[in-house]
Amino acid sequence: MARIAMVGTGYVGLVTGVVFAELGHEVVGVDLLRERVARINRGEPPIHEDGLAELMARNVPERFRATTDIAEAMDGAAFVFIAVGTPSREDGSIDLSHVERASADIAPNLRPGQIVVVKSTVVPGTTRDVVRPILKRGAPDPGSVRLAMVPEFLREGIAVRDAMSPGRIVIGAEDRSVASAVAALFTGTDAPVLVTDPTTAEAIKYASNTLLALKISYANEIGALCEDLGIDVYRVMEGVGMDPRMSRYFLNAGLGFGGSCLPKDTRALRAVFADRGLEPLLLDALHAVNDRQALRAVSSLDGLLGGLRGKRVAVMGVAFKANTDDVRETRAVPVIMGLLQRGAEVVVHDPIASNNLREMYRMDVAFATTAREALEGSDAVVLQTDWPEYSELDASAFEKMRGRVVYDGRRALSATQVTFLRGRGFTVFLHGAGVQ
Ligand code: UGA
């Protein structure tokens, strides 16, 4: 079992670190935020993630603890992971300042034999051209710097499960011995391992997220056509996905993709193309389709309600997807903004993400504490997140609405609910299928 220093205890660092602890390694997380470090050491998860609290309860403090002191964390560690954030800059390109700072902080504490592993999502070439030079400049023994790049493929909401049994592990290393040392860390996960050079590993991450985003935007494009034809895109994609060359995953049409990864990474890749004088035609198109999804929903609602001015619309679910309280780049924001711009009054509900929305975005909306309360007196409802609790809402909750328009932007309702509501005279609009 190895000792690991994990620089950055945000989403990726915390989940990866705690899962390494669960696999038997001894992990010390490093963060600049004192409050976060104290919280982790009390065994309290600072983010909502299924299974994380249980894993922390089992591993803190014996195999997982946090500190603000990087030198202490690195002392005796065989591996030093860089798992800090790589946000978007104003123009969509990647902001590497946290990665640069972490590298500069690591360098003077680096001892021969220690392996630095870049886990943050970084554009191709970063490990070789940014991290390596910073480490070499600051390390007491520049000749002994050993580096790897291991992209992460965790999905929020089920990140612990993804980390315990990953679909694949990609290890970008400059030499074989580094690759096999890093591979040994994952013993116990039995995932297939692909060894590449660091730049290829970085590109695999972006190419993966972009293909996922492309699939979603493709399904959404076909969904617009399906609405017009009076057929259902879910049925179409069921047929498409049966071909093993395509797969049914990530063909769920809806309000579009959000979250901290797909929007950010596809934008960063677009900036890399532009930087190199290449034209990112497909990347531009997938963004255009994604941006249009929310607007299409607002226009359809406008049509269904005969104008939105003065209408009360309940937006159900503000998290960017179910099982998370993350609202970064959530499609709820363009939907709400569109509704407000057309004069609607908006009430929102989410089982756990409302506070985050309130803190992150200033919008003139009312917050309901229960789904029923949001529906009461509303002219229309938009299902924005496919929270399981919405598929369990019984008819009496909808009967409390003032109007009769239900817009399912995520196929959050069950088939039984849809049939029932239609039977009661509700207009149920399914994104990518229409009213039918
Ligand atoms: C995504 C990737 O799925 C992970 O593999 C990757 O590790 C991660 O980004 C990352 O780069 O860190 P995540 O952002 O957590 O994970 O969420 P996804 O499940 O991919 O969903 C992203 C968005 O696409 C959500 O808004 C979701 O509602 C939407 N989506 C997803 C669809 O609209 N349709 C689909 O069929 C699937």
Side-chain angles (χ1 to χ4, degrees), residues 11-12 121 151-158 162 168 205 208-209 212-213 215-216 219-220 234 248-265 290 319-322 324 326 329-331 384 386 409-410:
Y11 199 85
V12 172
T121 296
E152 65 90 20
F153 301 110
L154 309 177
R155 285 164 297 175
E156 285 187 37
I158 49 171
D162 276 352
R168 85 270 208 210
K205 167 72 189 208
S208 299
N209 271 4
L212 294 177
K215 285 186 82 172
I216 298 169
N220 281 330
Y234 273 56
R248 177 64 187 81
Y249 294 107
F250 278 76
L251 287 175
N252 289 335
L255 287 163
F257 60 82
S260 64
C261 308
L262 300 192
K264 169 175 90 76
D265 295 350
N290 202 48
F320 83 95
K321 63 175 188 179
T324 174
D326 196 343
E329 308 239 12
T330 171
R331 298 294 86 198
Q384 197 292 130
D386 52 349
R410 295 280 180 202

Side-chain angles (χ1 to χ4, degrees), residues 108-348:
N109 300 298
L110 206 53
R111 300 286 166 265
Q114 284 183 321
I115 295 176
V116 177
V117 183
V118 178
K119 190 78 182 150
S120 303
T121 296
V122 290
V123 290
T126 304
T127 300
R128 186 191 59 203
D129 302 334
V130 178
V131 177
R132 169 173 278 284
I134 297 177
L135 292 179
K136 286 215 157 208
R137 222 176 297 132
D141 179 8
S144 70
V145 171
R146 301 169 87 203
L147 253 180
M149 197 285 148
V150 177
E152 65 90 20
F153 301 110
L154 309 177
R155 285 164 297 175
E156 285 187 37
I158 49 171
V160 171
R161 205 197 317 156
D162 276 352
M164 289 302 291
S165 44
R168 85 270 208 210
I169 292 162
V170 173
I171 300 174
E174 282 158 350
D175 68 64
R176 284 257 140 215
S177 72
V178 171
S180 51
V182 174
L185 284 177
F186 296 92
T187 309
T189 61
D190 67 54
V193 176
L194 178 72
V195 176
T196 67
D197 61 88
T199 306
T200 303
E202 290 160 341
I204 287 173
K205 167 72 189 208
Y206 280 91
S208 299
N209 271 4
T210 304
L211 186 56
L212 294 177
L214 261 173
K215 285 186 82 172
I216 298 169
S217 282
Y218 175 74
N220 281 330
E221 188 92 330
I222 300 295
L225 173 69
C226 291
E227 280 177 22
D228 203 53
L229 290 170
I231 58 172
D232 187 348
V233 68
Y234 273 56
R235 200 71 182 140
V236 172
M237 290 309 160
E238 201 181 319
V240 173
M242 282 169 79
D243 182 335
R245 291 169 302 172
M246 318 269 194
S247 110
R248 177 64 187 81
Y249 294 107
F250 278 76
L251 287 175
N252 289 335
L255 287 163
F257 60 82
S260 64
C261 308
L262 300 192
K264 169 175 90 76
D265 295 350
T266 46
R267 274 199 298 261
L269 192 62
R270 193 200 215 169
V272 173
F273 270 71
D275 252 11
R276 299 179 163 260
L278 303 169
E279 217 181 339
L281 284 181
L282 272 174
L283 292 174
D284 283 340
L286 85 84
H287 278 283
V289 173
N290 202 48
D291 292 343
R292 198 179 54 182
Q293 286 308 96
L295 306 179
R296 284 188 52 232
V298 173
S299 310
S300 300
L301 273 168
D302 200 328
L304 292 167
L305 289 168
L308 281 163
R309 188 151 301 280
K311 301 283 166 51
R312 181 179 158 97
V313 181
V315 174
M316 309 290 281
V318 296
F320 83 95
K321 63 175 188 179
N323 301 316
T324 174
D325 60 353
D326 196 343
V327 295
R328 285 174 289 175
E329 308 239 12
T330 171
R331 298 294 86 198
V333 170
V335 169
I336 294 170
M337 296 303 282
L339 292 169
L340 292 174
Q341 263 157 22
R342 294 192 191 205
E345 188 192 313
V346 176
V347 52
V348 305

